[in-house]
Amino acid sequence: MAAIPVIVKHQGKRHNVELDPASTGETFKYQLYSLTGVEPERQKILIKGGQLKDDTDLSTLAVKSGHTFMMMGTPSAGEGSAGVLERPKERMRFVEDMTEAEAAKIEGATPAGLQNLGNTCYLNSTLQTLRAVPELQKELLNYKPAATGGESESRSTGDLMSRYGLGGLGASMDLTASLRDLYQQMSETQDGFPPLMFLNALRTAFPQFAQKSKTGQGYAQQDAEEAWSQIISQLRLKLKDQASSANSGNSASFIDKYLAGKMESVLECDEAAAKDAGEEPVKTQDTFLKLDCHISAQVNHLRDGILAALEEKIEKKSPSLDRDTTYTKTSRVARFPKYLAVHFVRFFWKREAQKKAKIMRRVTFPHEFDVVEFCTEDLRKALIPVRDKIREVRKDEEDMARARKRQKRMEKGEEVGAAGGLKGQGPSAVKTASNEKQMQKPSGAQASGESKATGGADAEMADATHKTDAELETEQRASLFAAKSELAKLVNPELAADPGANASGLYELRGVITHQGASADSGHYTSYIKKEGPKDPKTGKRGEEDGHWWWFNDDKVSEVESDKIDGLAGGGESHSALILLYRAVAVPNESDLGAEQ
């Protein structure tokens, strides 16, 4: 049968509908649901003799073209048009319709790799790991090279052209500006990008990276740790923290704020004769940009290697004894930065082979690193209460999560417990269980007597109910908020006023630079960067992470499980960790707590 055009009036609106006489009333109601948002079970459609029923054959209504129906009912979501389907406010866009730059910025998009320009894997892995510091990327966007005299106009023009990849070789010899441009270009693609501009600036600033290979063909392989150190040192000179400069008026280094720590050392002669002669220990304070993990036959874990590096034996002349003797230099950290680089000292100069050989020993490292034992006494006292409270809060979160799962299992068990226990035993077993349940149920008089004998205790148990998910969620949020408020109050005021410092004493692993091979002059470098959680477009905060990592093997980028990281401890010529990048475990502040509340 041909469809009949009819009119449906609902809340003052007229809807043109094609009625199919071969269908039923239920089909017609679903048509109206798509137009009005009113669910079929909440619709009242008036017809001659009453209301339209779901099983009514529409052909029996003898409807003619232009017939008008009256419909009553509102969506379950609320009165009026609260539940009516509306056109999306923003037009849906598919990846196929986006530009390359737009597709690269989609949440969860695969990040760009870096092309190997001839033994430049050491540089690619270093650049990818540094890119894991979001504060660095943000600060680089504000960087403008200093220019003086007649160079001002030409340099600013070259800098502008290099931002858009129009400068060619030598357009910007400023290493910091080249890094800014490179990261900007990498954010606009998912393909392997050639870091030619930055490589040219690096070789100009540090000619050691322009060394030719022994064969005379191409450039030589370099040490990623040396590239890391030279880039960091250059950024320390050029990149100033804009926020600190605006607040204090002083030109503070970005690296000193976020990636540099303070080390206090005591140098003391081992011989008692020097002490008896009045020789005093020498105390010094230095800035460090990374911690070294020295590897020996006794070192099996990162902690062991760092402790070994913090206590050194030095041979020097004693002014009181007037001869050479042994001194012990004991160092402790007075300030840990937000981002901590740890270097496994795996390479050493082997005279017989005339090259940098590699220590293959397996040295494990943690995903969460507790650094309290490396601190000075004052810093340790400030960090321990915060560290312990963080662990307490985490335990509470885990307990609450387990309790919630247990509650859900109990609720599910009450619904399907008996049936689930008798599954596969046949109808007779179900009937038997039903009879047993009836036999166990006390009669009204018996229940009344037992209730009186026990003072109504059974009646109270019968009234007990499980808490709803909403109630559990409310309790969990209130408890966590109170714990986080207490945690925020435990933070030392000096550390709280230093946003670039670690105020918790705990670090989480965010990046790893690895080396594969037997020497620093050969082999292959790659890097691993931990994936961040999805960003909320409204608040800008990151959600829960999935624990996966990005593996950057030059221009090849792939996603790997966290188990892959545990296999980077070394023990052979396979990929072993050379540099670790840790980020401080954050402590909630008043603004964060205010937003949560």
Coordinates of all heavy atoms in Angstrom, one line a residue, residues 10 41 66 90 123 167 205 234 245 286 350 362 408 435 568:
H10 N 0.9 18.3 18.0 CA 1.5 18.0 19.4 C 2.1 19.3 20.0 O 3.0 19.9 19.4 CB 2.6 17.0 19.3 CG 3.3 16.7 20.6 ND1 4.6 17.0 20.8 CD2 2.8 16.1 21.7 CE1 5.0 16.6 22.0 NE2 3.9 16.1 22.6
E41 N 5.7 4.7 24.7 CA 4.9 4.3 25.9 C 4.3 5.5 26.6 O 3.3 5.4 27.4 CB 5.7 3.4 26.9 CG 6.8 4.1 27.5 CD 8.1 4.0 26.7 OE1 8.1 3.6 25.6 OE2 9.2 4.3 27.3
G66 N -4.2 13.8 4.4 CA -4.5 15.1 5.1 C -5.2 14.9 6.4 O -5.5 15.9 7.1
E90 N 27.7 21.8 16.9 CA 28.9 21.9 16.1 C 28.8 20.8 15.0 O 28.4 19.7 15.3 CB 30.1 21.6 17.0 CG 30.4 22.8 18.0 CD 31.7 22.5 18.7 OE1 32.4 21.6 18.4 OE2 32.0 23.3 19.6
L123 N 70.3 12.2 18.3 CA 69.6 13.5 18.4 C 68.1 13.3 18.4 O 67.4 13.9 19.2 CB 70.0 14.4 17.3 CG 69.4 15.8 17.2 CD1 69.7 16.6 18.5 CD2 69.8 16.5 16.0
G167 N 63.2 29.2 5.6 CA 64.5 29.9 5.7 C 65.6 29.1 5.1 O 66.6 29.7 4.7
A205 N 76.7 25.4 16.7 CA 77.0 25.8 18.1 C 78.0 24.9 18.7 O 78.8 25.3 19.5 CB 75.7 25.8 18.9
Q234 N 72.5 25.0 26.6 CA 72.2 26.2 25.8 C 70.9 26.8 26.1 O 70.7 28.0 26.2 CB 72.2 25.7 24.3 CG 72.1 26.8 23.3 CD 73.4 27.6 23.2 OE1 74.4 27.3 23.8 NE2 73.4 28.7 22.4
S245 N 60.1 36.0 35.7 CA 60.6 37.4 35.4 C 59.6 38.4 35.6 O 59.9 39.5 36.1 CB 61.1 37.4 33.9 OG 62.1 36.4 33.7
D286 N 76.2 23.3 44.9 CA 76.3 23.4 43.4 C 74.9 23.1 42.8 O 74.0 22.5 43.5 CB 77.3 22.3 42.9 CG 78.7 22.5 43.5 OD1 79.3 23.6 43.3 OD2 79.2 21.6 44.2
K350 N 87.9 3.0 26.7 CA 88.7 1.7 26.7 C 90.0 1.9 25.9 O 89.9 2.1 24.7 CB 87.9 0.6 26.1 CG 88.4 -0.8 26.4 CD 87.4 -1.9 26.0 CE 87.9 -3.3 26.4 NZ 86.9 -4.3 26.1
R362 N 73.1 -5.4 33.9 CA 71.7 -5.1 34.1 C 71.4 -4.3 35.4 O 71.9 -4.7 36.4 CB 70.9 -6.5 34.2 CG 69.4 -6.3 34.5 CD 68.7 -7.7 34.6 NE 67.4 -7.5 35.1 CZ 66.3 -7.2 34.4 NH1 66.5 -7.0 33.1 NH2 65.1 -7.1 34.9
K408 N 29.0 -3.9 44.1 CA 28.3 -4.3 42.8 C 28.1 -5.8 42.7 O 27.1 -6.3 42.2 CB 29.1 -3.7 41.7 CG 28.9 -2.2 41.6 CD 29.7 -1.6 40.3 CE 29.4 -0.1 40.2 NZ 30.1 0.4 39.0
N435 N 11.2 -24.7 46.9 CA 10.5 -25.3 48.0 C 11.3 -25.0 49.3 O 10.7 -24.7 50.4 CB 10.3 -26.8 47.8 CG 9.3 -27.0 46.7 OD1 8.5 -26.2 46.3 ND2 9.4 -28.2 46.1
L568 N 64.1 -2.8 29.7 CA 65.1 -1.9 29.2 C 66.3 -1.7 30.3 O 67.0 -0.8 30.2 CB 64.6 -0.5 28.9 CG 63.5 -0.5 27.8 CD1 62.9 1.0 27.7 CD2 64.0 -0.9 26.5

